[in-house]
Amino acid sequence: MHPILANQERLSIYLLGWLIFGVMLAAVLALPNDDFTWTEALAVAIPLTMVYGAICLSSWYVCRVYPLEKTPFARVLLVQALAGILTILIWAAIATGWATFLQRAFSFAGLQTHVLERAPLLIGFAFVLYSLTVAVHYLIVTFEASKESEQRELQSRIFAQEAELKALRAQINPHFLFNSLNSISALATQDPSAVRAMTLRLADFLRKSLRLGAQEFIRLEEEVSMSLSFLEIEQIRYGSRLQIDQKIDEVCKGCLVPPLILQPLIENAVHHGIAHMLDGGTITLEAEWRGSVLHVRIDNPIDPDRPRNRKGGLGLENVSKRLRAIYKDDAQLQTTETGDVFHSDLWLPAQTSLGFHRPAPVTAPPVIQE
Amino acid sequence: MDAIRAVIVDDEELARSIIREYLADHVEVELVAECSNGFEAVKAVTELKPDLLFLDVQMPKLNGFEVLELVESDLVVIFITAYEQYAVKAFEVHAVDYLLKPFSRERFDEALTRAKEKLERREYPPQQEIISSARPKGETIERVLVRDGSRVFVIPAEKIDYVEAQDDYIAIRSEGKTHLKKQRLSDLQALLDPKRFVRVHRSYILNIDRIARLELYAKDSRMAILKDGTQLQVSRSGYDKLKELL
C-alpha cells in the first residue's frame, strides 16, 4: 500500500504542500511582468500543480523497487532520472493542453504562447518538485523499514523469552515429579537402599536442570547426561519396560546446544511412546556430526492404536519455537512416524564456541579438547 | 459381611505394591486380581465381578476412564492419579474418591472407609457422567471402544461406516463387522466429530466419507447409498445437515 495514499493525515499534508507550491508558481508567473494577470496565473498554476502532485505519487513505486540501501547509487540516480524525465514530459504535455483549453474556453488572449515562453521555468519547477517527492518517499521507506525491523526484533525477543520460560517450567514436569515421589513412597518399606538411589537420581536431575537451564548454551554431553538422569529415574518406575540405547559420536560431545532442548523430546518418547506400550521398548539417542551440522536423533516405539494426545504436539512446538528464536532458519526439528517407531530429528549448526555460522571442516571434524 | 473383593489396576509395579501394602492391614478386603493395563482390567472386572476397583487414570492402551466406560458391573471405584486437572475436577463434581500420588496410609484408609460405606448403601458412581465430565469440553473422540464378553475392540472413528440405534444398544458398522454397544445414539453423536459424522435420521449416524450418492425415495425422504451398496434412510432434517457439509 502507498504510504501516503493509505494514510489520510499524510495525504492532507501532502496535498496542502502542493497547494502552496501552486500558489508559489502562480506568483512567479504573475509578479515580474504583464503577460499574466493573477487570475490567469492561478488558473494555470493551481490545477497543473495539483495534477503534478498526483502524478509524482507514483515515484514511490520506483523507490520501492530500488531501495537506497540495496541499489548502487549510480543506478538509483539513472533510474530516477529516467522516471523523472518521463514524468516531466507527461506533465508538459498536460500543461500545453491545459493552456490551450484555458485560452479557448475563457478567451485569455495569448495565454498558450505565454505559457510556452515560460517552458524552462516550468520544467525547472517540475524537476525540483520531482526530486523533492523522491526524497520524501525514500525517507518514508527508510522510516517504515526501520520501524518494521524494530518490531520484528521485539517479536523474536518475546518469542525467545516465552519459549525459555516454557522450557524452564517444563523441566519439572508435575507428572514426572509426583510419579517419582510415589515410587519413592512405595520403595520405602521394601528396599531402603533403592529409596536412596532414587532420591539421589532425582536430586541429580533437578540440580543439573536448574544449573544448566540457567545457561545460554551447554555442551551436548551435558544435555545428554541430563536426559540420561531423567531416563534412569523413569526406569525405576517403568522397570524393564524402559530400555535405553545411546550412540553419541565423540566429536559431538563438545557441540553447544540450548539447555533442555532435548528434554521435551525425551519426555515425549517416554510418555507418548513407552507409556503406551504393554511390553515397553527401547529409546535410542544418537548424535552425529555431518559437515557443519549436528544431527541428533531420538527413536522410540509407539503404539499405532494409541489415542492421539492433545498435548503431544505442545512440547514439540516449544522446541521448534525456541530453535527459531535462537537460530532463525539454521536449525530444524522434524518428527516422523514409520510403522511403530517415532523419530525426532534435530539439526543444529555444529558449533563448539559461541559466534554463529562458524564453518566447520567437512573432511576432518575438529578434535574436541576435554 | 462378605469380604470385599478388590482389583488393583496400575501399569507400574511399584504403584501397585504400595496399595497392596496398605491393603494388608484390611483383612475384610480380598485382593482378587492385579492388572497392569486397561485390557487386563476390563477382562478381570468382567470375569471376576469385583466390588472395588483401584484404578489408575494413565495407562497404556486404555486409560482409567475408558476402562470404566467398558465395564458394566456395579462396583465402587477409587481413582488414582499423579496429576490431572480434568480428572480431579470430574471426581469432585461427582463425589468420586480419588488418591493423588503419592498418598499416605491415612488418606488411603479414609478413601477405603468411604468406599465401604458406598458399597453397603449400594451407591455406585454414575459412570457415563464421570467419563463425560472428565473429557475436555469440545474434544471429539478418535476411537470408539466396544466390549464383547471380556474382549475389547478399539474402532478408530475413521473406520466407522455408520451407527444404527437398536433399542438400548447401538450397532456400529465398521470394516464389514457389526459391534454392539450399550449407549444412546445421541450420546455417541455428541462425542464424534460433527464435520464427519451426521445424524441423518433418528436411527442413524453416518460417516459422510462413505456416501456414494443420495436418491430421492419419497416426498421429503431420501436414501443414502453407501459405497458398499448399503441403503440408509435420510430424513428431511438429516438431508439439510448433509447439504451443509457436502
Side-chain angles (χ1 to χ4, degrees), chain A residues 173-175 178-179 181-187 189-190 236-238 241 274-278 303-311, chain B residues 11-15 17-18 20-22 36-37 39 58-61 66 81-86 101-103 136 139 142-143 154:
Chain A
N173 179 323
H175 249 250
F178 290 129
N179 277 314
L181 290 173
N182 195 51
S183 302
I184 292 175
S185 162
L187 285 167
T189 46
Q190 302 170 15
I236 294 180
R237 263 179 73 199
Y238 288 100
R241 280 168 70 205
I274 300 291
H276 289 280
M277 308 296 288
L278 294 183
D303 172 10
D305 298 332
R306 76 197 184 285
R308 310 285 144 163
N309 196 295
R310 55 188 180 276
K311 295 173 212 146
Chain B
D11 60 320
E12 294 169 32
E13 158 57 24
L14 280 175
S17 75
I18 196 161
R20 217 160 44 218
E21 184 192 328
Y22 287 165
S36 61
N37 64 67
F39 289 153
Q58 289 86 22
M59 280 184 303
K61 299 292 183 187
E66 291 170 325
T81 184
Y83 177 83
E84 174 72 66
Q85 297 120 302
Y86 293 117
K101 291 176 180 178
F103 44 87
E139 195 179 273
E142 278 155 354
R143 54 186 202 163
V154 177

Side-chain angles (χ1 to χ4, degrees), chain A residues 219-230:
Chain A
R219 296 154 63 87
L220 180 67
E221 62 180 341
E222 294 175 298
E223 177 74 14
V224 167
S225 120
M226 194 157 52
S227 298
L228 292 177
S229 301
F230 172 82

Side-chain angles (χ1 to χ4, degrees), chain A residues 76-197:
Chain A
V76 172
L77 225 53
L78 181 71
V79 170
Q80 292 291 2
L82 285 174
I85 289 170
L86 190 66
T87 315
I88 292 168
L89 282 177
I90 291 171
W91 185 62
I94 295 172
T96 317
W98 182 241
T100 315
F101 169 76
L102 284 178
Q103 180 169 342
R104 294 212 187 126
F106 299 98
S107 51
F108 292 143
L111 187 75
Q112 195 188 354
T113 328
H114 294 316
V115 168
L116 286 179
E117 278 168 13
R118 299 294 188 293
L121 169 76
L122 289 172
I123 287 171
F125 171 80
F127 173 75
V128 169
L129 287 189
Y130 184 81
S131 314
L132 202 63
T133 320
V134 168
V136 167
H137 279 142
Y138 271 129
L139 265 177
I140 292 175
V141 168
T142 315
F143 171 70
E144 299 213 319
S146 86
K147 208 165 67 175
E148 200 176 304
S149 86
E150 210 171 273
Q151 216 152 27
R152 225 182 355 232
E153 176 88 2
L154 201 71
Q155 193 80 47
S156 82
R157 229 176 3 214
I158 289 170
F159 272 147
Q161 274 173 358
E162 217 172 80
E164 214 64 43
L165 205 67
K166 279 186 185 145
L168 290 177
R169 211 180 306 145
Q171 80 190 12
I172 303 173
N173 179 323
H175 249 250
F176 162 71
L177 198 59
F178 290 129
N179 277 314
S180 303
L181 290 173
N182 195 51
S183 302
I184 292 175
S185 162
L187 285 167
T189 46
Q190 302 170 15
D191 187 350
S193 65
V195 173
R196 181 167 302 154

